[in-house]
Amino acid sequence: MMHYGAILAKGEVGYTDLDKVFAALGNIQENYNWLLTDGECNVDIPELEDEFCWMSGSELTALQRKYHNPQWIWAVLSAFEKSVTKEQVLEYPLPAARDNRVQHPLATFEIVPIDSSYVVVFSREKEIVDRFRAYFPLSEELEAWWR
């Protein structure tokens, strides 16, 4: 299966601004369930203190609002079709932000803020990466990393 990826590391404001990333993706976060791992933000978010956090897309959007659009320093936000259960997801190792690749085999796409310096979007669907690249024209393709 082909995977696609893009990195945003220069020339744009808000590299790790999740609200902007969601806007770039057409606010599709509501259509998925989310596994948040390896999360660290510029504010304390109790939901991220455990090894992982499982939530719906609307809960993730609410989390962003509750903490006033925090800057994500490190994290892997893995998006899953709603038909994929938490139990199925937890059968696999938890993703880590420092791995720079799609990590969860059941994820449709992943958003990975890295050290507040850049954000990577990995996806099984080219359209998701295309949307991200169109919104952030200075982003670069990572397709070569998959081969």
Side-chain angles (χ1 to χ4, degrees), residues 125-136:
E125 298 174 0
K126 187 175 186 306
E127 178 186 355
I128 289 173
V129 171
D130 289 347
R131 283 183 187 178
F132 182 83
R133 300 260 354 263
Y135 191 93
F136 295 111

Side-chain angles (χ1 to χ4, degrees), residues 7-16 116-119 132-133 136-141:
I7 183 170
L8 176 59
K10 62 183 177 189
E12 301 274 7
V13 176
Y15 293 164
T16 58
S116 297
S117 301
Y118 59 98
V119 67
F132 182 83
R133 300 260 354 263
F136 295 111
L138 297 177
S139 62
E140 300 174 46
E141 266 191 58

Side-chain angles (χ1 to χ4, degrees), residues 18-105:
L18 205 54
D19 283 354
K20 285 185 179 181
V21 173
F22 287 159
L25 300 178
N27 288 303
I28 61 172
Q29 75 275 7
E30 302 278 338
N31 301 335
Y32 296 90
N33 284 327
W34 292 86
L35 176 71
L36 282 60
T37 56
D38 206 9
E40 181 183 339
C41 291
N42 66 332
V43 297
D44 288 329
I45 298 179
E47 292 87 345
L48 300 178
E49 290 177 3
D50 293 329
E51 190 177 16
F52 70 90
C53 181
W54 177 257
M55 61 180 58
S56 69
S58 58
E59 290 170 327
L60 180 56
T61 300
L63 181 90
Q64 279 294 107
R65 288 188 194 117
K66 179 179 178 180
Y67 295 102
H68 310 288
N69 189 28
Q71 178 185 1
W72 290 76
I73 298 169
W74 293 98
V76 179
L77 297 98
S78 303
F80 299 89
E81 296 292 333
K82 294 202 179 231
S83 60
V84 178
T85 67
K86 176 182 171 182
E87 292 71 28
Q88 290 171 312
V89 167
L90 294 178
E91 290 177 8
Y92 297 89
L94 294 174
R98 291 146 183 92
D99 280 354
N100 282 339
R101 61 184 172 82
V102 166
Q103 296 177 58
H104 203 290

Side-chain angles (χ1 to χ4, degrees), residues 1-7 25 100-103 107-112 119-133 140-147:
M1 172 181 276
M2 184 69 148
H3 293 96
Y4 305 91
I7 183 170
L25 300 178
N100 282 339
R101 61 184 172 82
V102 166
Q103 296 177 58
T108 300
F109 68 97
E110 293 178 333
I111 301 167
V112 187
V119 67
V120 179
V121 173
F122 299 108
S123 180
R124 299 181 195 291
E125 298 174 0
K126 187 175 186 306
E127 178 186 355
I128 289 173
V129 171
D130 289 347
R131 283 183 187 178
F132 182 83
R133 300 260 354 263
E140 300 174 46
E141 266 191 58
L142 292 179
E143 191 173 65
W145 288 23
W146 302 106
R147 296 185 182 150

